[in-house]
Amino acid sequence: MRYIYANWKSHKNIIQAREWMQVFLTNISEGSKKALSSRALEVGIFPPSPLLYPVHEMLKGESGIIIGAQDVSRYAEGKHTGLVNASSLSGIATHAIVGHAEMRLYGDTQSVVYEKFARAQDALIIPIVCMRKNDEYIDDAQIVVYEPEYAIGSGIVATPDEIRKFRSSLPDKKDQVFLYGGSVNDETVISLISQNICDGFLVGAASLDPIAFANLINRTI
Ligand code: PGA
């Protein structure tokens, strides 16, 4: 099973999202479509919060494509103006990123990440835990992502050896999905995929262009 997730970060409005989706869906190869419908491949779209529901509507009838939030509130429902609580995602998104390096830079400590993780789980949303270092690992996570800070948005990809070494520093959990993120694009993905070091990728900048993102996926099949 392979996972390829698009993290749009703070990009795109509804018109751009519609255009993206139309171009993306027409550029996915027959092989990728087969992999999506047989569940050999899971693609994820992580748009900005206001686009979660529109993207959910655009993907009706498509199989193998999940929708996720880029973050959730550390609090449950309540008096928290501006925060997106995990239970409000029900019926729209199935996953949520917690502990992304950019949120950690804005002040999310590991204890805040734990709270967000727990709120997502309480709401039956699958939390995806991003780690820059192995002390940011969360044991019960179903999906974890190694994203070294220097590789995010820099054009520099971690070497297969480094990714392998990082993975081997974590507890050996057969059922845990391990992804890599950091400057993955339709070129850099080729060497990563041939090494079989991870279950898939979290893609930022290279997911903004629907053709490049479709190519990236097509090349992994
Ligand atoms: P990048 O971002 O692919 O632009 O490096 C990855 C991420 O931050 O999730």
Side-chain angles (χ1 to χ4, degrees):
M1 176 84 177
R2 182 152 292 152
Y3 303 79
I4 304 187
Y5 292 160
N7 175 10
W8 287 356
K9 306 192 179 183
S10 203
H11 292 281
K12 299 196 188 298
N13 58 31
I14 190 163
I15 294 165
Q16 293 164 328
R18 260 196 212 108
E19 283 167 4
W20 187 98
M21 200 59 73
Q22 202 210 345
V23 176
F24 172 69
L25 292 173
T26 52
N27 279 276
I28 282 284
S29 68
E30 282 309 310
S32 298
K33 281 186 192 145
K34 273 198 196 115
L36 284 167
S37 53
S38 67
R39 306 283 156 162
L41 169 69
E42 179 174 280
V43 167
I45 315 286
F46 292 72
S49 302
L51 302 183
L52 283 164
Y53 185 70
V55 167
H56 171 263
E57 290 294 289
M58 291 171 211
L59 286 172
K60 271 202 175 139
E62 297 295 333
S63 56
I65 308 184
I66 62 97
I67 298 163
Q70 296 174 12
D71 187 40
V72 286
S73 168
R74 63 197 280 206
Y75 306 111
E77 193 177 42
K79 294 183 285 181
H80 310 294
T81 303
L83 301 186
V84 176
N85 86 72
S87 64
S88 71
L89 299 173
S90 302
I92 302 170
T94 48
H95 293 59
I97 295 171
V98 296
H100 189 278
E102 284 149 13
M103 291 306 299
R104 292 185 193 265
L105 282 181
Y106 298 143
D108 278 11
T109 59
Q110 187 63 3
S111 68
V112 168
V113 176
Y114 267 113
E115 288 177 273
K116 291 182 169 186
F117 179 86
R119 292 295 84 73
Q121 281 199 320
D122 293 346
L124 304 179
I125 298 292
I126 299 170
I128 298 171
V129 177
C130 290
M131 309 164 283
R132 300 167 299 181
K133 300 173 283 166
N134 53 12
D135 59 4
E136 293 172 346
Y137 175 75
I138 295 182
D139 201 50
D140 335 318
Q142 199 175 314
I143 307 176
V144 296
V145 193
Y146 175 42
E147 293 205 305
E149 215 161 355
Y150 72 82
I152 298 177
S154 65
I156 303 166
V157 188
T159 62
D161 270 356
E162 188 197 328
I163 301 170
R164 204 177 283 116
K165 201 167 145 207
F166 183 88
R167 189 176 194 176
S168 63
S169 74
L170 306 177
D172 186 17
K173 291 209 157 186
K174 295 273 169 296
D175 295 337
Q176 192 169 56
V177 172
F178 176 84
L179 309 181
Y180 166 78
S183 299
V184 178
N185 61 34
D186 53 343
E187 301 291 330
T188 57
V189 76
I190 294 166
S191 67
L192 294 168
I193 215 80
S194 65
Q195 303 266 341
N196 204 23
I197 38 176
C198 55
D199 303 306
F201 307 99
L202 180 59
V203 184
S207 72
L208 296 177
D209 175 344
I211 297 179
F213 188 61
N215 283 343
L216 190 163
I217 292 167
N218 297 341
R219 283 182 180 178
T220 65
I221 298 305

